[in-house]
Amino acid sequence: MSDKTNVLPNNLEAEQSLLGCMLIDNDVLAEIVDKLTDADFYHESHQLIMAAIHKIFNLRKPADLVTLTDCLEKDGNLAKVGGIDYITDLVSKIPSSANYKQYFEIVKRDSTNRQLIRASRNIIENSMNSSDGFQSVQYAEKLIYDISKKNDSSSMDDIRESTLVGDVIDRFETIASNKDALRGIPTGFPFLNKITNGFQRSDLIVIAARPGSGKTSLAMNIVEAAAFQGNVCAVFSLEMPKIQIVQRLLCASAKVSMSDALSGKLTPNDWKALIKTGEELKKLSIIIDDSSRVTPAEILSKCRRIKAKNGGKLDLVMIDYIQLMSSGLKQDESNRTREIARITGDLKIMAKELDVPVIALSQLRRMTGEPQLTDLRESGAIEQDADMVIFINRPDMTATPEEIEKNKIIRGMADLIIAKHRNGELGRTQLRFKGEYTKFVTPDPSELKQLAREAGKKPAKSDDNEGGESYSDDMPDDGTVFSDDEYGGEDYGEEQ
């Protein structure tokens, strides 16, 4: 075969032996049939035979000499594969199916190599004619990734044969002995850390709010906290340019008024804080991309490159925001709801594939009152695909001057509501929004206590030493105020 440069990698004997093993042992067939396609075979006759075996198997019939011959004859392919004599030869030349794994590995190896060679040819041809280097790289990445994904057979595990149950018990034991052992990505907000144990890998976390409520600020506060803990963070801003993202990040981290910075009113202390914080930010691994109208596939491609550049490390992805994304498919453009559904589905798959928490921001419909899951704009698929949905509710944005003046609604106070949590409890807390430097902060317990009194609430006793309780999904929504100090503090509610 080495002297035939136009012949792609293949092994005739391995293909024949593997087909023979499947025909003489249906247990072997059941084990490997889902891992094979007709394209995995090089010779056309073997491709036709494999296609017929799939057809028979899907009809829940045994695949053997008789059923295979009958299927090929009905499809008009029996003569093309060499007739009944060739089928008989496949079965008779294999005395045992004991070595089927070795034959399978050879066939799959050659199949992968052929796919890579074909992909390489397509990449070369595309590169020769392309006028856009970035699109050429994306095209190459997609072809190689599709081959890798197609050959990944590691997703199935029989619970009877695997160590899955033991692994879960070991995981629980590890957490019991050290609550920080499996902590996820820190959020910078103790309440969120407590209820989620940090944002967990492979989770899609949706932060939703009405326009202007601070969802970008909250997300960037989380990115800042994660980055300062040594995590590699990727920010995809479809709405805001890079300079504004860094501007917010710098002012929020330095606690300097952004309006003062933009109007040239900084004090010497402000400059000192900005310069010091700027030097600290330069050491963080925050990668910012401000491409507009990107697709999940493009973001995935860029994240792979980030991982490769950082030694395989990527810890958090933030996307601002879902409604500005495109699925990349023309047939979706006429139906925005279907397109959003495809986008959120792809984002969840991306979170699982990259094994990182993905924070995706979303707009809510313009409505009054506290946000509900049904208020997620344009698609119920956002709720379905998300592992966690967090709402930011800012009552002060719609409050009347009288409500503000009488302290019925406190300016700058925001309700942070976990409305969906696939792997844990629901809950809520209050944060204060420091608009002058676009940062959410945890109010001091004494401030929460004072707010509770001003709102006519009476302190309630904590039922444990840690405090900081959150609402569960069956607790009444009575406007209770909760503390968000580090796994402690008192909570205050109405007396029952």
Side-chain angles (χ1 to χ4, degrees):
M1 188 169 65
S2 60
D3 60 333
K4 298 179 181 180
T5 56
N6 62 328
V7 177
L8 296 177
N10 74 94
N11 188 308
L12 175 64
E13 291 75 21
E15 290 187 6
Q16 291 174 328
S17 299
L18 185 60
L19 290 171
C21 287
M22 288 190 286
L23 292 173
I24 66 172
D25 190 341
N26 270 221
D27 288 337
V28 170
L29 172 66
E31 182 176 342
I32 65 175
V33 67
D34 288 335
K35 303 174 185 178
L36 288 167
T37 69
D38 53 344
D40 286 322
F41 293 83
Y42 180 77
H43 298 272
E44 183 182 6
S45 59
H46 297 163
Q47 293 174 0
L48 293 173
I49 292 171
M50 190 67 230
I53 289 175
H54 270 291
K55 189 174 183 179
I56 296 167
F57 183 82
N58 290 335
L59 292 172
R60 294 185 175 84
K61 295 180 180 179
D64 55 26
L65 177 63
V66 175
T67 57
L68 178 60
T69 302
D70 180 67
C71 182
L72 288 168
E73 188 173 28
K74 286 181 178 178
D75 291 340
N77 293 326
L78 185 58
K80 294 178 183 178
V81 304
I84 191 170
D85 290 339
Y86 189 73
I87 305 298
T88 303
D89 188 52
L90 288 177
V91 174
S92 61
K93 71 182 298 184
I94 299 295
S96 167
S97 62
N99 297 323
Y100 77 94
K101 289 185 178 179
Q102 285 72 30
Y103 308 145
F104 173 82
E105 289 174 0
I106 294 171
V107 169
K108 291 296 287 186
R109 178 202 65 196
D110 289 343
S111 173
T112 300
N113 288 334
R114 289 196 301 273
Q115 292 175 64
L116 288 171
I117 291 170
R118 293 180 184 122
S120 300
R121 290 173 178 172
N122 290 333
I123 291 169
I124 292 171
E125 183 178 353
N126 180 72
S127 300
M128 294 289 288
N129 300 313
S130 175
S131 59
D132 188 326
F134 178 72
Q135 286 185 354
S136 297
V137 172
Q138 276 193 312
Y139 178 79
E141 283 183 336
K142 184 178 187 307
L143 290 184
I144 300 302
Y145 170 69
D146 286 346
I147 294 171
S148 174
K149 187 176 181 181
K150 192 182 298 182
N151 287 280
D152 181 16
S153 59
S154 61
S155 60
M156 293 180 62
D157 243 325
D158 189 328
I159 197 170
R160 297 169 298 178
E161 301 172 357
S162 72
T163 60
L164 287 172
V165 173
D167 291 344
V168 171
I169 292 174
D170 290 343
R171 180 184 180 91
F172 291 160
E173 288 178 346
T174 301
I175 295 172
S177 60
N178 180 8
K179 289 182 171 61
D180 293 332
L182 298 176
R183 191 174 296 281
I185 303 301
T187 67
F189 298 99
F191 167 79
L192 280 181
N193 289 340
K194 178 180 180 180
I195 206 168
T196 66
N197 198 30
F199 284 169
Q200 299 298 310
R201 294 187 178 276
S202 80
D203 276 2
L204 174 60
I205 300 139
V206 172
I207 297 178
R210 288 187 283 270
S213 297
K215 55 185 180 291
T216 303
S217 298
L218 180 67
M220 287 307 301
N221 295 163
I222 293 171
V223 169
E224 174 194 349
F228 269 110
Q229 293 294 321
N231 295 293
V232 178
C233 305
V235 175
F236 294 89
S237 177
L238 285 72
E239 182 181 37
M240 202 175 296
K242 296 176 186 177
I243 189 72
Q244 291 186 18
I245 290 289
V246 176
Q247 183 176 285
R248 282 170 169 250
L249 185 62
L250 181 58
C251 290
S253 186
K255 296 184 179 179
V256 168
S257 169
M258 192 162 64
S259 61
D260 286 351
L262 293 174
S263 59
K265 298 178 181 178
L266 294 177
T267 66
N269 285 337
D270 290 338
W271 279 112
K272 185 177 179 180
L274 282 175
I275 292 170
K276 180 182 178 182
T277 303
E279 292 301 317
E280 293 173 348
L281 290 179
K282 288 179 183 178
K283 301 174 185 177
L284 303 182
S285 295
I286 301 178
I287 299 91
I288 303 172
D289 183 288
D290 61 359
S291 304
S292 300
R293 199 71 175 169
V294 294
T295 67
E298 289 169 339
I299 291 178
L300 178 58
S301 174
K302 292 176 181 182
C303 286
R304 289 199 202 103
R305 293 204 294 276
I306 292 171
K307 289 189 76 170
K309 189 176 179 180
N310 289 275
K313 185 174 172 63
L314 177 62
D315 302 296
L316 181 68
V317 174
M318 192 275 273
I319 302 167
D320 184 10
Y321 54 92
I322 291 173
Q323 282 77 17
L324 290 179
M325 297 184 72
S326 166
S327 69
L329 301 176
K330 290 184 178 180
Q331 60 265 36
D332 287 341
E333 293 177 0
S334 61
N335 188 324
R336 186 58 179 161
T337 298
R338 182 173 62 192
E339 185 171 31
I340 291 292
R342 192 183 298 274
I343 289 168
T344 57
D346 288 345
L347 290 179
K348 174 55 187 172
I349 292 171
M350 181 176 73
K352 184 177 179 183
E353 183 177 312
L354 293 172
D355 193 30
V356 300
V358 172
I359 301 172
L361 308 191
S362 175
Q363 284 191 348
L364 291 174
R365 296 187 182 93
R366 292 185 181 274
M367 75 308 172
T368 58
E370 191 166 282
Q372 307 293 324
L373 289 171
T374 52
D375 296 322
L376 286 165
R377 188 173 170 184
E378 290 186 298
S379 177
I382 298 176
E383 173 192 349
Q384 295 170 14
D385 293 325
D387 295 285
M388 186 183 304
V389 176
I390 300 173
F391 289 132
I392 304 170
N393 187 36
R394 293 276 305 280
D396 62 325
M397 293 182 65
T398 56
T400 64
E402 291 77 17
E403 288 176 318
I404 296 291
E405 187 177 344
K406 294 179 180 179
N407 282 333
K408 289 184 177 180
I409 293 178
I410 308 300
R411 191 179 300 279
M413 293 303 294
D415 298 313
L416 195 67
I417 305 165
I418 298 179
K420 178 185 178 182
H421 190 189
R422 198 189 303 275
N423 300 309
E425 60 182 314
L426 307 182
R428 64 163 59 215
T429 191
Q430 281 196 318
L431 300 178
R432 180 177 286 282
F433 182 61
K434 301 285 187 179
E436 65 272 21
Y437 45 84
T438 63
K439 187 179 183 70
F440 283 91
V441 297
T442 299
D444 185 86
S446 61
E447 181 182 4
L448 285 176
K449 187 174 182 179
Q450 180 63 28
L451 290 173
R453 286 173 176 168
E454 290 175 355
K457 311 289 184 182
K458 294 182 180 180
K461 294 181 180 179
S462 173
D463 61 355
D464 59 40
N465 292 329
E466 288 188 344
E469 291 184 305
S470 58
Y471 282 142
S472 66
D473 51 1
D474 59 352
M475 290 180 70
D477 183 8
D478 60 0
T480 308
V481 182
F482 289 107
S483 172
D484 190 27
D485 60 319
E486 183 62 50
Y487 303 104
E490 297 177 335
D491 43 281
Y492 307 95
E494 295 180 338
E495 288 184 339
Q496 302 299 318

